[in-house]
């Protein structure tokens, strides 16, 4: 008989909780700073200053690429942009996505693998944004990393459907729905180029999961042997 002391809820993976705390915590600091009486008058501009110093910029990336110079203060933008958001609503939505998807992926993947998926999606998303988009609009927000977790979840679902003998393309329903929603919003309110970073993050998460999922390398070797 199972113990009555067992929790009915699965524990949240620590790495996922840490990511969510960073995303929401930084936004809370910005919100408090916007109220000048809390941290002082200088705190009102903290968000704008963070965007200038830590957001990913296609222009800065182009300069680094053209000159072959990669100062740390700009290289860090490939990752730091994920923890800056336009508003509390955006940060909350991103944090909830990371919590929900990170929990599902973290129940199968190791802690390190979950972090690798999020970080790779964030970096690859920024890289794609810098290479494919010519815009002065900086890239901010945790969504490319969250979409990478969607990619990992899609891979797990893809494997599961294959084991059940069902149509594996159903695994891509979630990303199809999200991209469809972005398309509708783009038609209604104007398109934003950040969807390229989101989609690149998804692809990164899906591909990386082939290697970092439990037994992933073994499955890959088996497939190569049978070709």
């Amino acid at each position: 008989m199972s113990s009555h002391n067992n929790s009915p809820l699965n524990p949240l993976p620590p790495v996922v909780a840490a990511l969510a705390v960073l995303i929401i915590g930084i936004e809370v600091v910005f919100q408090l700073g916007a109220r000048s009486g809390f941290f002082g008058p200088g705190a009102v501009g903290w968000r704008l200053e963070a965007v200038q110093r830590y957001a990913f910029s296609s222009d800065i990336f182009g300069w680094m690429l053209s000159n072959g110079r990669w100062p740390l203060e700009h290289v860090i933008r490939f990752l730091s942009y994920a923890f800056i958001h336009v508003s509390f609503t955006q940060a909350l939505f991103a944090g909830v996505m990371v919590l929900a998807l990170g929990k599902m992926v973290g129940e199968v993947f190791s802690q390190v693998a979950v972090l690798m998926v999020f970080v790779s999606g964030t970096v690859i998303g920024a890289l794609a944004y810098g290479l494919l988009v010519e815009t002065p609009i900086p890239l901010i927000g945790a969504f490319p990393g969250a979409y990478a977790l969607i990619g990992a979840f899609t891979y797990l679902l893809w494997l599961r459907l294959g084991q059940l003998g069902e149509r594996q393309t159903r695994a891509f329903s979630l990303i199809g729905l999200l991209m469809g929603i972005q398309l509708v919003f783009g038609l209604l309110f104007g398109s934003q180029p950040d969807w390229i970073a989101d989609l690149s993050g998804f692809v990164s998460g899906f591909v990386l999961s082939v290697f970092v999922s439990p037994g992933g390398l073994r499955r890959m070797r088996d497939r190569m042997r049978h070709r």
Side-chain angles (χ1 to χ4, degrees):
M1 296 178 64
S2 59
S3 171
H4 293 292
N5 295 324
N6 289 340
S7 172
L9 301 175
N10 292 325
L12 189 68
V15 68
V16 175
L19 288 172
V21 167
L22 274 175
I23 292 168
I24 302 299
I26 290 174
E27 179 58 33
V28 168
V29 171
F30 288 156
Q31 291 291 324
L32 293 175
R35 289 148 179 81
S36 58
F38 199 90
F39 288 117
V44 175
W46 278 357
R47 188 193 301 275
L48 180 59
E49 183 180 351
V51 170
Q52 293 174 341
R53 293 185 60 182
Y54 299 112
F56 180 82
S57 167
S58 293
D59 292 338
I60 292 177
F61 174 68
W63 176 85
M64 291 191 293
L65 204 59
S66 299
N67 292 277
R69 297 176 58 187
W70 304 90
L72 181 61
E73 64 180 306
H74 293 322
V75 172
I76 197 175
R77 294 172 183 264
F78 279 92
L79 184 60
S80 61
Y81 79 89
F83 302 99
I84 308 168
H85 295 82
V86 173
S87 64
F88 181 79
T89 301
Q90 186 192 37
L92 181 62
F93 188 44
V96 169
M97 285 183 67
V98 169
L99 281 173
L101 291 157
K103 183 179 187 301
M104 289 186 287
V105 174
E107 290 176 350
V108 180
F109 283 26
S110 69
Q111 298 286 302
V112 174
V114 172
L115 185 60
M116 287 176 63
V117 167
F118 181 86
V119 170
S120 70
T122 300
V123 173
I124 295 298
L127 183 61
Y129 190 84
L131 291 173
L132 302 177
V133 178
E134 293 185 7
T135 177
I137 301 174
L139 177 65
I140 58 176
F143 290 104
Y147 270 74
L149 292 172
I150 295 175
F153 174 72
T154 300
Y155 176 73
L156 293 175
L157 185 56
W158 182 78
L159 285 179
R160 182 59 177 166
L161 290 173
Q163 294 169 352
L164 296 174
E166 299 184 17
R167 188 161 50 92
Q168 289 179 288
T169 53
R170 288 173 49 199
F172 296 90
S173 299
L174 178 58
I175 186 62
L177 175 63
L178 292 173
M179 287 292 104
I181 292 174
Q182 287 205 7
L183 175 62
V184 171
F185 271 82
L187 293 174
L188 293 175
F189 306 107
S191 177
Q192 295 294 328
D194 54 0
W195 68 267
I196 294 176
D198 297 341
L199 185 58
S200 300
F202 169 82
V203 174
S204 170
F206 187 91
V207 173
L208 184 60
S209 296
V210 176
F211 302 96
V212 301
S213 61
L217 290 176
R218 177 181 51 79
R219 282 192 297 269
M220 179 62 66
R221 287 196 298 266
D222 291 343
R223 289 180 181 179
M224 296 297 292
R225 288 171 182 170
H226 287 88
R227 285 187 175 181

